[in-house]
Amino acid sequence: MKIMIVGECRNGQILDATYENVAFAEKLGGDSFMFMVGTQAALPKYEGKLYLADAGECGEFNPEAHKQLILKTVSIEQPDLVVFSHSSYGWDLAPRVALALKAAQLSEVVDIKEGAYVVPACNAKLRRRLRPKSAITVVTLQAGAFSPASEPTGQPAIEPVSCDPSGAIEFCGYEAAEAAGVDLAKADVIVSAGRGIGKAENMEMIGGLARALGGEFAASRPVVDAGWTEHNRQVGSTGQSVSPKLYLACGISGSVQHMAGMKKSEFVVAINTDRDAPIGEIADVLIVADLKEFIPILTEKLRAL
Amino acid sequence: MKALVCIKQVPDMESKFKINASGTWYDENNLAWRMNEYDEYAVEQAVQLREQFGDVDVTVLCIGPDRVKETMKKALAMGADRGLHVRDDLGGEKGPLEIASIIAEFAKDKGFDLIFTGMQSQDRGSAQVGVLVAEMLGLPSVTTVVDFSCDGTTVSAKRELEGGVRAVVRVATPALVTCQLGMNTPRYPTLPNIMKAKKKELLSVEVQELLTAESLLTTEQFYFPEKNVGALVLEGATAELAETLIGILKEKTTVI
Ligand SMILES: Cc1cc2nc3c(=O)[nH]c(=O)nc-3n(C[C@H](O)[C@H](O)[C@H](O)COP(=O)(O)OP(=O)(O)OC[C@H]3O[C@@H](n4cnc5c(N)ncnc54)[C@H](O)[C@@H]3O)c2cc1C
Ligand SMILES: Nc1ncnc2c1ncn2[C@@H]1O[C@H](COP(=O)(O)O)[C@@H](O)[C@H]1O
């Protein structure tokens, strides 16, 4: 099997997703080579051939140009598998490439079993094992599912590729994430509110428990999207990453994107009415209870200590 | 201006799922159904466009069995003008390529200026249909949009990247946009609008009339993941649970 690894470079920096894709290719075995739109100044640590297109020329975000570059590289190397990360770069680009190659695309692969690909379904509550029927296959990998076993090393052998950089989409630049007003990364205890809190008024209950524990409060994305609290309190892949001594997930189901931001917590307690909520997979303790009843009692008992 | 919004009906994710008889999907019986969360943002954005320009005609399209019409009625009550239901009793098991081919076949000669889809569906989560539709129609597509505006001919959008960074992009219409959570605040249909929606056009066509692609995938198994035995699961009376938890925290952590 010949594997094409699509690397990611943003603002001149190699993203970790690149090395996860390499780890996946190593796990599968077989020959691999890499493709990346990036810069000579920051090369990925990789022992092998790297088809490198210059981001300055082709544009760092230009899906049409990147698609053309990938198709060009595929026609030279004829890989059996093209590997992207299931990231804002990968899920944008992969379907464009897959359609052009008449390739089956498997999104958010978390495992390989019996030569078939395992992907999550229904908010990660279920799994599907899928087998492609096409000659060439495109996959996107869930962030964190395939981690490199050791520090990446190596010096790639560069094959330059270029293309016509014109495209319908004009990239006007990046906008930094909102500055964090509260540094959640420093908190020892974080009490985090999920959609399960039901309404904005219940944020006070979460804040009260956080105070009783001498910690900070935080939230999952739907709570922020609904305007129940500020974005600078969001934990997850598009929010902050935290690693407190205690993380209390209150009415949070445990999506991959949320867990990406809190899985380094030392001790995780989940409060959830759903015994099967995926948060149970990484929690140390899962309290099956209605948080509206449980939290006030817990807070009161903590205050009385 | 003409806008198309693709919406999917999905089960409530807190449902107790069961595997179907063939072991290839979830059992669709006895589930509570709702609009795919991401698609609510898509409907809202299209309706806001009409409020902005007045002369925007918004069509919602949904592929699935007759029950999906309930979800379509919600979109009509939110303000969409008409609905096109593609009747397909096996819609749930169709892959993104087939679903996209159906949508593209419908849209190809309708002259839509803007097509909105969700970034992904909550049950299948392939995050492919939107981009595939655009590629099939030869339109530019912008994915994972959290901020959208349009002056009639040009779309300005912000794509959300990892860590909350945003990429600012511009594209001329016709174009397709895939909507990410938080793009706007989807409205709740009001009672008068629910009544009005009952009179709106809601046509059904059979899927065979529009399906042009074949699946490139076989589902070998649909299953529950093995439970990680990590979590200690506590159930029972609330007050006792709180006592037990405090005991555990005292023993296992240094925070109290
Ligand atoms: C590209 C991308 C990036 C994302 N980035 C992030 C991110 O940074 N952070 C983030 O959090 N999400 C992120 N998301 C969203 C993520 O996929 C989930 O939608 C989100 O994390 C779900 O939040 P939740 O667990 O609060 O809500 P839900 O998934 O709706 O879960 C609510 C939970 O509350 C429980 N519950 C309900 N009522 C009660 C009650 N009375 N008592 C106790 N429990 C109750 C339910 O059983 C359920 O488990 C992102 C998504 C995408 C596609
Ligand atoms: N059965 C369907 N009917 C209408 N639109 C759909 C359907 N399935 C998916 N879509 C659209 O495609 C988006 C992405 O879905 P997916 O590729 O399955 O993650 C959804 O948010 C919808 O906008």
Side-chain angles (χ1 to χ4, degrees):
Chain A
M1 168 132 67
K2 193 168 181 183
I3 305 169
M4 171 162 167
I5 298 162
V6 179
E8 285 189 37
C9 179
R10 187 182 306 152
N11 261 334
Q13 297 243 309
I14 308 292
L15 302 188
D16 285 344
T18 308
Y19 299 114
E20 295 185 9
N21 295 355
V22 174
F24 173 80
E26 280 169 2
K27 182 165 177 176
L28 266 185
D31 291 341
S32 74
F33 63 95
M34 193 184 286
F35 165 88
M36 179 183 272
V37 180
T39 143
Q40 288 276 359
L43 292 174
K45 298 190 181 66
Y46 176 69
E47 205 58 62
K49 207 188 272 182
L50 169 65
Y51 285 83
L52 184 68
D54 186 65
E57 259 166 45
C58 309
E60 202 163 274
F61 178 73
N62 185 344
E64 282 153 83
H66 291 207
K67 174 177 105 179
Q68 293 309 330
L69 288 161
I70 289 174
L71 296 179
K72 211 168 175 179
T73 310
V74 167
S75 71
I76 300 169
E77 288 282 346
Q78 303 283 326
D80 305 292
L81 183 65
V82 183
V83 181
F84 293 88
S85 171
H86 196 67
S87 60
S88 58
Y89 184 71
W91 69 60
D92 185 88
L93 205 48
R96 303 176 200 264
V97 170
L99 188 72
L101 294 172
K102 297 189 168 57
Q105 182 187 331
L106 302 104
S107 299
E108 211 180 350
V109 170
V110 292
D111 204 357
I112 319 159
K113 263 202 189 125
E114 297 162 34
Y117 300 94
V118 178
V119 302
C122 299
N123 267 9
K125 278 191 160 183
L126 287 143
R127 299 277 183 279
R128 296 167 75 204
R129 196 175 74 222
L130 297 165
R131 195 174 295 275
K133 292 194 276 193
S134 51
I136 173 167
T137 304
V138 169
V139 296
T140 64
L141 308 181
Q142 184 179 86
F146 303 90
S147 299
S150 53
E151 262 308 292
T153 55
Q155 182 79 38
I158 311 278
E159 297 275 348
V161 266
S162 59
C163 74
D164 167 12
S166 61
I169 301 169
E170 182 195 348
F171 173 54
C172 316
Y174 296 114
E175 218 179 70
E178 252 171 84
V182 266
D183 193 357
L184 295 175
K186 288 209 185 86
D188 275 344
V189 177
I190 294 177
V191 181
S192 200
R195 197 192 330 246
I197 68 164
K199 52 180 184 188
E201 291 72 32
N202 287 336
M203 273 317 286
E204 276 173 39
M205 183 171 76
I206 300 296
L209 177 55
R211 278 192 302 279
L213 282 161
E216 280 292 348
F217 69 91
S220 71
R221 179 164 186 150
V223 173
V224 174
D225 287 342
W228 299 347
T229 189
E230 310 293 305
H231 177 262
N232 60 30
R233 294 203 180 251
Q234 182 179 315
V235 170
S237 61
T238 48
Q240 295 195 52
S241 288
V242 299
S243 50
K245 291 189 175 135
L246 173 63
Y247 189 87
L248 266 130
C250 312
I252 293 179
S253 64
S255 66
V256 188
Q257 293 91 359
H258 187 78
M259 296 204 287
M262 47 66 73
K263 64 185 174 202
K264 294 202 179 107
S265 304
E266 280 175 35
F267 200 81
V268 176
V269 176
I271 303 159
N272 205 304
T273 40
D274 181 2
R275 203 174 195 289
D276 298 324
I279 189 83
E281 286 171 38
I282 67 158
D284 295 280
V285 179
L286 169 64
I287 310 266
V288 184
D290 183 338
L291 63 88
K292 294 190 286 296
E293 288 170 22
F294 180 77
I295 291 181
I297 293 177
L298 177 66
T299 310
E300 206 175 294
K301 286 189 187 287
L302 284 166
R303 284 200 188 120
L305 285 182
Chain B
M1 232 203 279
K2 282 177 77 177
L4 175 67
V5 188
C6 303
I7 62 172
K8 183 175 187 181
Q9 190 189 51
V10 296
D12 188 314
M13 290 301 141
E14 283 161 38
S15 307
K16 294 276 171 231
F17 287 98
K18 289 195 191 105
I19 312 292
N20 71 3
S22 55
T24 52
W25 193 237
Y26 54 78
D27 181 348
E28 295 187 353
N29 295 307
N30 303 319
L31 290 171
W33 298 89
R34 45 163 297 170
M35 194 187 304
N36 181 38
E37 197 182 349
Y38 297 79
D39 304 347
E40 290 184 6
Y41 295 93
V43 173
E44 175 64 31
Q45 204 63 54
V47 171
Q48 286 189 13
L49 210 58
R50 210 241 331 282
E51 288 167 347
Q52 182 187 349
F53 292 107
D55 66 339
V56 181
D57 189 79
V58 180
T59 303
V60 286
L61 179 155
C62 184
I63 304 159
D66 278 328
R67 68 167 143 69
V68 306
K69 284 199 255 181
E70 280 314 306
T71 296
M72 300 188 74
K73 281 181 194 151
K74 178 175 180 192
L76 295 176
M78 284 171 77
D81 297 289
R82 62 197 74 250
L84 191 275
H85 166 222
V86 182
R87 189 180 291 121
D88 183 4
D89 289 338
L90 306 170
E93 293 212 50
K94 285 207 168 59
L97 191 63
E98 296 151 281
I99 296 290
S101 84
I102 296 165
I103 299 170
E105 185 64 20
F106 167 75
K108 69 177 184 196
D109 48 11
K110 304 284 189 303
F112 291 112
D113 300 282
L114 277 165
I115 303 179
F116 296 94
T117 73
M119 185 240 145
Q120 63 179 0
S121 54
Q122 289 173 281
D123 54 353
R124 183 175 296 272
S126 76
Q128 292 179 32
V129 168
V131 181
L132 288 174
V133 168
E135 291 290 303
M136 288 171 180
L137 294 172
L139 296 180
S141 57
V142 181
T143 58
T144 333
V145 171
V146 285
D147 192 281
F148 173 96
S149 63
C150 179
D151 66 5
T153 53
T154 307
V155 170
S156 303
K158 291 178 187 168
R159 299 189 65 225
E160 187 185 47
L161 314 180
E162 289 67 29
V165 178
R166 292 163 173 205
V168 183
V169 302
R170 282 158 55 92
V171 65
T173 59
L176 183 144
V177 168
T178 83
C179 306
Q180 165 64 316
L181 306 170
M183 183 190 199
N184 48 46
T185 307
R187 68 194 66 193
Y188 291 103
T190 59
L191 194 59
N193 285 342
I194 293 172
M195 300 313 288
K196 257 194 248 166
K198 294 196 170 139
K199 300 202 190 77
K200 288 183 180 171
E201 174 185 313
L202 178 47
L203 291 178
S204 291
V205 298
E206 300 300 321
V207 66
Q208 291 82 346
E209 291 173 34
L210 296 169
L211 179 67
T212 59
E214 251 178 72
S215 173
L216 297 172
L217 291 168
T218 340
T219 302
E220 292 187 340
Q221 200 193 351
F222 195 76
Y223 59 100
F224 285 95
E226 279 159 37
K227 277 277 168 231
N228 200 335
V229 281
L232 171 67
V233 180
L234 298 176
E235 281 169 289
T238 318
E240 280 165 36
L241 282 176
E243 281 298 335
T244 316
L245 179 61
I246 290 171
I248 293 173
L249 294 181
K250 277 182 177 160
E251 189 190 328
K252 299 273 168 91
T253 74
T254 52
V255 300
I256 48 175

